[in-house]
Amino acid sequence: MSRTKHVAGYVAPLVESLFLSADDVRSIVQRVSAMLDAADIAVLVAFGWFLVPSSRIAYSFLNPAAAKTRPKVASDEEGSEGDAGDGGFKRSYLFFVVDHLSQIARLALLVYAFDCVVVAFEALGYEAKAASKVFAKIVYTSWLARRVQCFKSALLRRIMNNSPSKCDKCKFLDRMLNGIVLSLLIVKILEYLRVETG
């Protein structure tokens, strides 16, 4: 019986901590509302989800004949579905720029949302400011590493298309460079965790 009471003494406070009081909710709402900026969110949403479509429309009006195109690079890795019907937009320098701006805006919105979560925890008395910095650094560094991998793969594919005899060497080099980039990313993430959390 005493052991049951002992266990209950640990479980009860834990269960109670899962329920927020009215004051806790009010504090969270006030802190999160104070950091939210409608203009910032609107800009990030516009860049993240409307920049590419609007740029495609502008491109089709200003350059219906699809003037300049470029070889596939990092942004083209997902494929060129619908490329033939958009006047070469996905192979233009404009797409290369706006696609990356769109990706960065989406990541920024993700970091923004995580900051709101961190602020909510801080409103409850938890010290979580370091988590916000670590998360942002990991997100952007991981994205940059992925972009490097994609650009490298696209470049090697171009070499293989021009020189089929080098196909095996390029595949080996591709896997080796992927491993190097991944290793560097892991080291960098561990460094972020060590610096920010001690």
Side-chain angles (χ1 to χ4, degrees), residues 64-185:
K68 271 192 173 183
T69 58
R70 61 171 178 79
K72 282 188 178 182
V73 290
S75 296
D76 302 324
E77 58 146 355
E78 292 79 10
S80 56
E81 219 173 279
D83 194 20
D86 66 3
F89 173 69
K90 286 188 177 180
R91 298 177 67 85
S92 68
Y93 290 103
L94 176 62
F95 176 75
F96 178 75
V97 173
V98 297
D99 181 54
H100 280 77
L101 288 176
S102 175
Q103 292 180 40
I104 293 172
R106 294 185 185 193
L107 292 177
L109 197 59
L110 176 63
V111 171
Y112 204 133
F114 189 81
D115 286 345
C116 291
V117 175
V118 169
V119 167
F121 274 99
E122 289 183 334
L124 297 175
Y126 296 97
E127 183 58 45
K129 187 169 289 186
S132 182
K133 293 181 181 179
V134 171
F135 181 78
K137 289 180 179 180
I138 290 176
V139 166
Y140 290 123
T141 304
S142 299
W143 175 81
L144 182 59
R146 182 58 182 160
R147 291 297 89 200
V148 169
Q149 283 186 322
C150 293
F151 182 80
K152 173 266 306 170
S153 296
L155 185 61
L156 290 176
R157 280 198 300 270
R158 189 180 179 189
I159 294 174
M160 285 189 288
N161 290 335
N162 294 334
S163 305
S165 60
K166 298 180 179 179
C167 184
D168 291 336
K169 292 182 179 178
C170 287
K171 287 181 178 178
F172 172 75
L173 183 60
D174 187 36
R175 288 192 292 268
M176 185 181 71
L177 292 176
N178 278 340
I180 292 174
V181 172
L182 181 59
S183 299
L184 291 174
L185 176 61

Side-chain angles (χ1 to χ4, degrees), residues 49-71:
W49 282 271
F50 299 104
L51 181 62
V52 173
S54 60
S55 298
R56 179 184 287 109
I57 294 172
Y59 184 86
S60 64
F61 276 108
L62 298 175
N63 193 13
K68 271 192 173 183
T69 58
R70 61 171 178 79

Side-chain angles (χ1 to χ4, degrees), residues 19-57:
F19 296 94
L20 300 178
S21 66
D23 290 337
D24 289 335
V25 174
R26 193 178 305 110
S27 177
I28 290 173
V29 171
Q30 289 176 347
R31 294 281 293 274
V32 172
S33 299
M35 75 161 291
L36 289 177
D37 189 306
D40 289 344
I41 296 174
V43 169
L44 292 176
V45 170
F47 271 70
W49 282 271
F50 299 104
L51 181 62
V52 173
S54 60
S55 298
R56 179 184 287 109
I57 294 172

